Amino acid sequence: MLLSFFMMPLHSVNRHYPTALAEDIEAFKLADELGFEEAWIGEHYSAEIEQISSPLMFLAHMAPQTKRIKLGTGVLPLPLYHPVMAASHVALLDHLAPGRLLLGIGTGGLGSDFEVFGMEDADRNAMMLDSIAIMKKIWASDPPYDIEGKFWNVKLSRSYWPDLGVGILPKTLTRPHPPLAVSVSSPYSGSMRVAARNDFMPISANFVASWVVKTHWETYCDELGKLGKTPDGSKWRVARSIHVADTDAEAERVVKKAGGAYDWYYDYMFQVYQRMGAAGLLAPFRDTDPATITPQMVRDHFVIYGSPETVARKILELREEVGPFGTLMMTSHEWEDKPAMRRSMELLARRVMPIVNAALGETAPGEELSAIAV
């Protein structure tokens, strides 16, 4: 099992923006130093709490500050971009971070973004698929272009002067393009079928219960079965909120601290879902009465926390429950207690994952530690 890092990012309301950005940068650099395989960051415009308006720009900033970690957009909301612009920006970043770019694509997930862009009633899923199909054609061919899509048309012929280099759109360094991923969250999500049909890497969100994540794998397997293909769990990423401390008691103190990073996060998510009229989606179990759900209940069931040994056991139990995911994505949370959050990342990489992989029979603990030390 590989270890990855996912950053929404989510910071408390009225947080000093430069400080929050500095924290995000430090977390990415620490993940690289600790041997995390990947680091992903989202895109939002109209939310003070997670204001990364361009993951492409953020990752371009991180590329020279990291050495080996793969850098992922989690996700790039393609309906908000013209395909030519998206294809060109992605190609540029793929050259700035050679061999390290992972392209997570999506429809967007923030109502205020849809409103400000005038896209509340748009068929964003169809737009995403139309856009990536056009982008692939741009990356795979040279002008003249006459690409007809459902939502966009790309035409370029009259101003194509190859002897002067005019009309040439940039190609990605990774051929035919960087690996593509898509995020999923709702039970039996149709996005898992999209992933299966298009060979996208699926990413199950951290803010849904494990029973929901299990439906993701079931849906993925069902769709691949219809296509006559065999499911490959190594392509599947599962994001979870995780906190590791030296002892179970210390981990519980941090996770359950009133107003602390995890307590605030799940209280916030609960309020968001309530206002959407969808608090039932946070049900820890299939049969949980929506009327009984509280932010504390969600926090306590959704966060994997404890000592290294306890967290390793819980991760293995999660995998046994939901399906054979190949990459665990640790979700970042605000560094309200910076030493504790840095320590959690260190313990997860250096102590928990070696235990997990030893149990899976993939890598001996000593070998994994040696690789991280190098």
Side-chain angles (χ1 to χ4, degrees), residues 14 16 24 60 90 95 131 142 144 147 194 219 222 255 257 277 289 341 349:
N14 297 323
H16 184 232
D24 296 341
V90 169
H95 283 268
S131 178
D142 294 318
I147 305 171
V194 170
T219 304
D222 180 68
V255 170
K257 178 183 177 182
D289 181 355
M341 302 306 267

Coordinates of all heavy atoms in Angstrom, one line a residue, residues 14 16 24 60 90 95 131 142 144 147 194 219 222 255 257 277 289 341 349:
N14 N -11.6 33.2 8.8 CA -10.8 34.4 9.2 C -9.4 34.1 9.5 O -8.7 34.9 10.1 CB -11.4 35.1 10.4 CG -12.8 35.6 10.2 OD1 -13.1 36.1 9.1 ND2 -13.7 35.5 11.2
H16 N -5.5 33.9 8.8 CA -4.7 34.8 8.0 C -4.2 34.1 6.7 O -3.5 33.0 6.8 CB -3.5 35.2 8.9 CG -2.5 36.2 8.3 ND1 -1.2 36.0 8.2 CD2 -2.8 37.4 7.7 CE1 -0.6 37.0 7.6 NE2 -1.5 37.9 7.3
D24 N 0.4 25.3 4.2 CA 0.1 24.3 3.1 C 1.5 24.0 2.4 O 1.7 22.8 2.1 CB -0.8 24.9 2.1 CG -2.2 25.1 2.7 OD1 -2.6 24.6 3.7 OD2 -3.0 25.9 2.1
A60 N 3.0 24.3 -9.4 CA 4.2 24.8 -10.1 C 5.1 25.5 -9.1 O 6.3 25.4 -9.2 CB 3.7 25.9 -11.2
V90 N -2.0 22.5 -18.3 CA -1.5 21.2 -17.8 C -0.2 20.8 -18.5 O 0.7 20.3 -17.9 CB -2.6 20.2 -18.1 CG1 -2.1 18.8 -17.9 CG2 -3.8 20.4 -17.2
H95 N 5.7 19.9 -17.8 CA 7.2 20.1 -18.1 C 7.9 20.7 -16.9 O 9.1 20.4 -16.7 CB 7.3 21.1 -19.3 CG 7.0 20.4 -20.6 ND1 8.0 19.8 -21.4 CD2 5.8 20.2 -21.3 CE1 7.5 19.3 -22.5 NE2 6.1 19.5 -22.5
S131 N -14.7 18.1 -22.2 CA -13.5 18.8 -22.1 C -12.2 17.9 -22.2 O -11.3 18.2 -22.9 CB -13.4 19.6 -20.8 OG -12.2 20.3 -20.7
D142 N -1.5 17.6 -34.1 CA -1.1 18.9 -34.5 C -2.1 19.6 -35.3 O -3.0 18.9 -35.9 CB 0.2 18.9 -35.3 CG 1.4 18.4 -34.4 OD1 1.5 18.8 -33.3 OD2 2.2 17.6 -35.0
P144 N -3.8 21.5 -38.5 CA -5.1 22.3 -38.2 C -6.0 21.5 -37.4 O -6.1 20.2 -37.5 CB -5.6 22.5 -39.6 CG -5.1 21.4 -40.5 CD -3.7 21.1 -40.0
I147 N -12.1 20.4 -34.1 CA -12.6 19.5 -33.1 C -14.0 19.9 -32.6 O -14.1 21.0 -32.0 CB -11.6 19.4 -31.9 CG1 -10.2 19.0 -32.3 CG2 -12.1 18.4 -30.8 CD1 -9.2 19.1 -31.2
V194 N -17.8 6.2 -14.4 CA -17.1 7.0 -15.3 C -15.6 6.6 -15.2 O -14.9 6.5 -16.3 CB -17.3 8.5 -14.9 CG1 -16.3 9.4 -15.7 CG2 -18.7 8.9 -15.2
T219 N -19.3 -0.7 -7.0 CA -19.8 0.0 -8.2 C -18.7 -0.2 -9.3 O -19.0 -0.4 -10.5 CB -20.1 1.4 -8.0 OG1 -21.1 1.5 -6.9 CG2 -20.6 2.1 -9.2
D222 N -18.5 -3.7 -10.5 CA -19.7 -4.0 -11.4 C -19.6 -3.4 -12.8 O -19.8 -4.1 -13.8 CB -21.0 -3.4 -10.7 CG -22.2 -3.6 -11.5 OD1 -22.7 -4.8 -11.6 OD2 -22.8 -2.7 -12.1
V255 N -7.6 14.7 18.7 CA -8.8 14.5 17.8 C -10.1 15.1 18.5 O -10.9 15.7 17.8 CB -9.0 13.0 17.4 CG1 -10.3 12.8 16.7 CG2 -7.8 12.6 16.6
K257 N -10.3 17.3 21.0 CA -10.2 18.6 21.6 C -11.3 19.6 21.0 O -11.4 19.7 19.8 CB -8.8 19.2 21.3 CG -8.6 20.6 21.9 CD -7.2 21.1 21.5 CE -7.1 22.6 22.0 NZ -5.7 23.2 21.6
G277 N -29.3 20.2 3.1 CA -30.3 19.3 3.3 C -29.9 17.8 3.1 O -30.7 17.0 2.8
D289 N -29.9 6.6 12.1 CA -31.1 7.6 11.9 C -30.5 9.0 11.7 O -29.8 9.5 12.6 CB -31.9 7.5 13.2 CG -33.1 8.5 13.2 OD1 -33.2 9.2 12.2 OD2 -33.9 8.5 14.1
M341 N 0.7 17.8 14.6 CA 0.3 17.4 13.2 C 1.6 17.0 12.4 O 1.5 16.0 11.7 CB -0.3 18.6 12.5 CG -1.6 19.1 13.2 SD -2.8 17.8 13.5 CE -3.9 18.0 12.1
A349 N 4.2 7.8 8.3 CA 5.1 7.4 7.2 C 6.2 6.4 7.8 O 6.5 5.4 7.1 CB 5.8 8.6 6.7

